[in-house]
């Protein structure tokens, strides 16, 4: 049995810890966070993020930080220190046998990943989202709770798809784009920025 070190002791981290428990693979789960807190739910917060180095040889790691850029920064730093990142998949999600999910991803309860979808490193597939056949989701994306991506959608690195958003089939969304909660994306998004509404339009600055 191994130990799991989760970086980021917020609400998302708590859900990640419970998914990790369901893997029956870890005999201890603990957190690191820069906030001055001792507990995340029932799990101990044992130190700050920079203390990860003490645990690199004995633990697997998950970075449970919702902000894509911050998650990217920490995962890349830890990879340089040879940290091991499993992919955590909730047993009540459905992942096609032909889907490819890279290291450091978390697939939460009720999520569906269909045939030949590809999910890049460090991406979050949040509760009850769906990623349909032949999607290509980049690194460090967040597909939020209840968002639905129809077939053959491309999502660039670090893009954020908000809660309950829908993306039409064959649409491409560029790197760093933010799609607001409940938006319906019917056309390619080619410029980074925030897109809201039905159909989704760029938010005015
Ligand atoms: C789109 C979003 C990023 C904009 O955030 P923001 O820049 O802080 O925007 P504000 O909250 O200041 O809202 C600005 C205006 O846009 C509107 N607006 C904000 N988000 C909207 C959305 N998703 N759809 C439609 N209108 C929206 C607000 O009502 C407000 O309108 P008003 O000026 O007429 O009052 C944010 O609202 C959002 O949807 N985030 C997604 C959160 C999410 O899905 N989290 C899930 C985690 S699992």
């Amino acid at each position: 049995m191994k130990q799991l070190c989760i970086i980021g002791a917020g609400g998302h981290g708590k859900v990640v810890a419970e998914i990790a428990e369901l893997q029956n693979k870890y005999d201890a789960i603990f957190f690191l966070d820069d906030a001055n807190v001792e507990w995340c739910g029932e799990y101990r917060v044992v130190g700050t993020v920079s203390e990860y180095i003490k645990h690199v040889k004995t633990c697997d790691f998950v970075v449970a930080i919702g902000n894509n850029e911050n998650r990217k920064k920490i995962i890349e730093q830890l990879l340089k220190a040879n940290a091991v990142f499993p992919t955590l998949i909730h047993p009540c999600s459905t992942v096609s046998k032909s889907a490819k999910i890279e290291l450091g991803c978390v697939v939460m309860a009720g999520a569906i990943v269909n045939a030949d979808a590809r999910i890049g490193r460090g991406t979050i597939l949040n509760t009850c989202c769906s990623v349909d056949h032949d999607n290509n989701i980049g690194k460090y994306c967040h597909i939020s709770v209840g968002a639905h991506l129809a077939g053959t959608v491309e999502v660039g690195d670090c893009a954020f798809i908000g809660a309950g958003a829908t993306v039409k089939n064959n649409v491409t969304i560029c790197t760093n784009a933010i799609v607001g909660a409940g938006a319906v994306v019917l056309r390619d998004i080619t410029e980074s920025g925030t897109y809201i509404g039905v159909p989704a339009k760029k938010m005015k600055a």
Side-chain angles (χ1 to χ4, degrees), residues 126 142 144-145 160-164 178-183 194-197 203:
N126 220 320
H142 185 165
S144 296
V145 172
F160 173 88
I161 312 294
I178 296 171
V179 172
T194 301
Y195 293 79
I196 56 170
M203 236 173 123

Side-chain angles (χ1 to χ4, degrees), residues 83-102:
V84 173
F85 288 93
T87 283
L88 294 181
I89 299 181
H90 195 288
C92 296
S93 62
T94 303
V95 177
S96 158
K97 62 184 180 187
S98 59
K100 299 247 171 350
I101 303 185
E102 286 183 20

Side-chain angles (χ1 to χ4, degrees), residues 60-108:
D60 284 355
F61 282 84
V62 180
V63 180
I65 294 176
N67 180 284
N68 291 340
E69 277 303 326
N70 293 343
R71 191 169 66 260
K72 172 181 174 180
K73 211 184 303 167
I74 296 176
I75 292 179
E76 298 208 335
Q77 192 180 346
L78 268 73
L79 281 172
K80 286 191 191 138
N82 296 321
V84 173
F85 288 93
T87 283
L88 294 181
I89 299 181
H90 195 288
C92 296
S93 62
T94 303
V95 177
S96 158
K97 62 184 180 187
S98 59
K100 299 247 171 350
I101 303 185
E102 286 183 20
L103 63 86
C105 292
V106 182
V107 181
M108 307 192 100

Side-chain angles (χ1 to χ4, degrees), residues 10-11 22 36 39 99 105 115 126 131 148 155 157 165 171 173 186 202:
L22 294 170
N36 190 18
W39 296 91
C105 292
N126 220 320
V131 172
H148 296 296
V155 178
D157 293 350
V171 159
I173 294 175
L186 299 177
K202 193 168 188 180

Side-chain angles (χ1 to χ4, degrees), residues 2-6 26-30 52 54-62 78 82-86:
K2 287 188 97 173
Q3 300 194 345
L4 182 70
C5 175
I6 303 178
Y26 298 108
D27 55 11
I29 296 173
F30 63 88
Y52 72 84
K54 290 195 219 160
H55 306 287
V56 151
K57 289 219 168 80
T58 51
C59 295
D60 284 355
F61 282 84
V62 180
L78 268 73
N82 296 321
V84 173
F85 288 93

